[in-house]
């Protein structure tokens, strides 16, 4: 049987995961995620899908995070009417997350179009709207962990717990009948295991091909238990309180927000951190919390740990924008958790715009920051950043706490892959930036995996699969050239140069010095334009 596997997203980067598996009489997608990061990468969200939508039989969704589910409404809008298979928690989280994503796009496009009209540029349309997201939910079909379901002619799938977030799955796809079955396992995003709030990852051994995420493929984290994790968090809270200002936490709304709230409440109640008011300023996180309260049962611990979030007296949920605006009046010690986790959308940007320049403020980042995002720039120590066209000096304390990651680290990924052995065919390393891909490949080789088994696909590459090997198929015209998906682009460079130029002009000692600086920039621009012009004929 001819069997092809194509990587339409999260190839050489960590967002936009979308794999297409096609064979005789079927074509299925595993995830359909949204690209995040540099504007050049995000621009792919606006382009047509690089495949025939009418040929797609089904979508298998590993979990609800937007970088895996965020393009499902666009798929529906473009004409897809087939099933979207997902676990019940993933389906319920998608209901709130996709609607929120649609609303964010509508708001951001409205803001952008006002700027475009002022500049005489054409207006743009959102990738999809909240109404499109609502219609997409009609396509979902719930599946249970461990059950085998028919998803397309000659194709079955089984969902295994991935331990990454509520409802997250690794998906085993079985193609063919009898002894002529080819098995491909898609890891989805993998949790670290041993967590209070999520079950440990599980998956089958003895498969033909494996697609594994590589987010932290080059990074080892110290494994901490609950007491140690909370002790580290409590120290950050004490230092933020000592600095004299509020603590601002850019937070992933689904999973991370709920876990952080539980730990913040615990260390305050234990007296290990100064008590204060806690504000969850994210409608998406609030709605997701309702899903966690209903579906957060952990079968490993036989309990739902999130029930504590129901009645905490110092925890406040801010749904309306005017409630968020009231936070500007607060002067006492308080904590704000706001989305998005990479600081590229949502209410967090408004808080950063009003707080980043204040040296008594602490910004605590607890999650992965993709290349080109505002969060990544802050983590890397940028002292000048550009937010929605405005320049801001960073005087706040920017701290990171890397013990809340929902992803397995390099050692955890290697252990998980080894537990899947024997793997007859190939291992595809996806969902990682180049350094992470190389790091995981090296670790797997040292663990005994033959280098020839390892593949690091780039965007839109296709591999022909047999049970024992994968052969790269030459296809023309990838949407991005290899190596470009996880690099800063000219938009990032422009924002950085404009911010530094503005600061240098402001700091110049005199009016004449400012004028000379501008004239020097103008001369450089003319010289660059002249050198780029074609020679006269």
């Amino acid at each position: 049987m001819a069997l092809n596997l194509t990587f339409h997203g999260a190839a050489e980067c960590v967002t936009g995961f979308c794999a297409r598996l096609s064979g005789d009489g079927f074509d299925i997608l595993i995830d359909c995620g949204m690209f995040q990061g540099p504007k050049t990468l995000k621009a792919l969200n606006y382009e047509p899908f690089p495949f025939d939508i009418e040929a797609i039989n089904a979508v298998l969704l590993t979990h609800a995070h937007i970088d895996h589910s965020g393009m499902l409404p666009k798929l529906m809008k473009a004409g897809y009417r087939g099933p979207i298979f997902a676990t019940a928690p993933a389906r319920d989280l998608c209901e709130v997350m996709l609607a929120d994503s649609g609303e964010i796009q509508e708001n951001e496009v409205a803001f952008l179009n006002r700027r475009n009209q002022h500049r005489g540029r054409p207006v743009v349309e959102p990738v999809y709207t909240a109404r499109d997201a609502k219609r997409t939910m009609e396509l979902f079909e719930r599946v249970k962990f461990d059950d085998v379901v028919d998803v397309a002619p000659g194709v079955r799938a089984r969902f295994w717990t991935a331990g990454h977030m509520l409802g997250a799955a690794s998906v085993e796809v079985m193609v063919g009948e009898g002894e002529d079955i080819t098995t491909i396992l898609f890891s989805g995003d993998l949790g670290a295991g041993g967590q209070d709030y999520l079950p440990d990852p599980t998956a089958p051994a003895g498969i033909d091909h494996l697609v594994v995420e590589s987010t932290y493929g080059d990074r080892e984290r110290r494994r901490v238990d609950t007491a140690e994790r909370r002790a580290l968090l409590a120290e950050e809270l004490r230092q933020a309180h000592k600095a004299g200002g509020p603590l601002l936490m850019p937070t992933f709304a689904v999973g991370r927000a709920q876990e952080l709230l539980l730990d913040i409440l615990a260390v305050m109640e234990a007296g290990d951190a100064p008590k204060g008011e806690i504000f969850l300023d994210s409608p998406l996180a609030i709605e997701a919390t309702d899903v966690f309260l209903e579906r957060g049962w952990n079968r490993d611990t036989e309990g739902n740990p999130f029930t504590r979030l129901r009645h905490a007296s110092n925890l406040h949920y801010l749904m309306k924008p005017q409630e968020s605006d009231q936070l500007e009046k607060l002067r006492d010690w308080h904590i704000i958790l706001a989305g998005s986790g990479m600081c590229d959308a949502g209410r967090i940007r408004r808080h950063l715009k009003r707080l980043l320049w204040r040296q008594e403020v602490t910004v605590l980042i607890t999650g992965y920051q993709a290349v080109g995002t505002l969060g990544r720039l802050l983590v890397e120590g940028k002292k000048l950043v550009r937010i929605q066209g405005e320049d801001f000096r960073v005087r706040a304390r920017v701290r990171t706490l890397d013990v809340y990651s929902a992803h397995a680290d390099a050692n955890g990924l290697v252990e998980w892959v080894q537990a899947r052995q024997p793997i007859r065919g190939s291992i595809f390393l996806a969902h990682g930036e180049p350094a992470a891909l190389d790091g995981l490949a090296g670790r797997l080789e040292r663990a005994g995996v033959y280098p020839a088994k390892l593949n690091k696909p780039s965007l839109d590459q296709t591999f022909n699969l047999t049970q024992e090997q994968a052969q790269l198929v030459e296809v023309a015209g990838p949407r991005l050239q290899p190596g470009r998906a996880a690099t800063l682009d000219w938009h990032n460079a422009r924002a950085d140069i404009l911010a530094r130029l503005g600061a240098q002009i402001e700091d110049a000692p005199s009016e004449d010095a400012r004028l000379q600086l501008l004239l020097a920039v103008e001369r450089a621009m003319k010289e660059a334009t002249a050198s780029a012009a074609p020679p006269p004929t």
Side-chain angles (χ1 to χ4, degrees), residues 109-123:
V109 163
F111 175 82
L112 176 61
N113 282 339
R114 286 194 295 271
R115 293 177 58 187
N116 285 347
Q117 289 174 321
H118 294 162
R119 299 173 180 178
R121 297 175 180 174
V123 297

Side-chain angles (χ1 to χ4, degrees), residues 48-49 51-57 74-81:
F49 287 106
F51 48 79
D52 180 6
I53 294 170
E54 293 184 358
I56 303 299
N57 300 98
K74 179 176 178 176
L75 191 71
M76 182 282 304
K77 187 178 178 182
Y80 177 71
R81 296 296 182 268

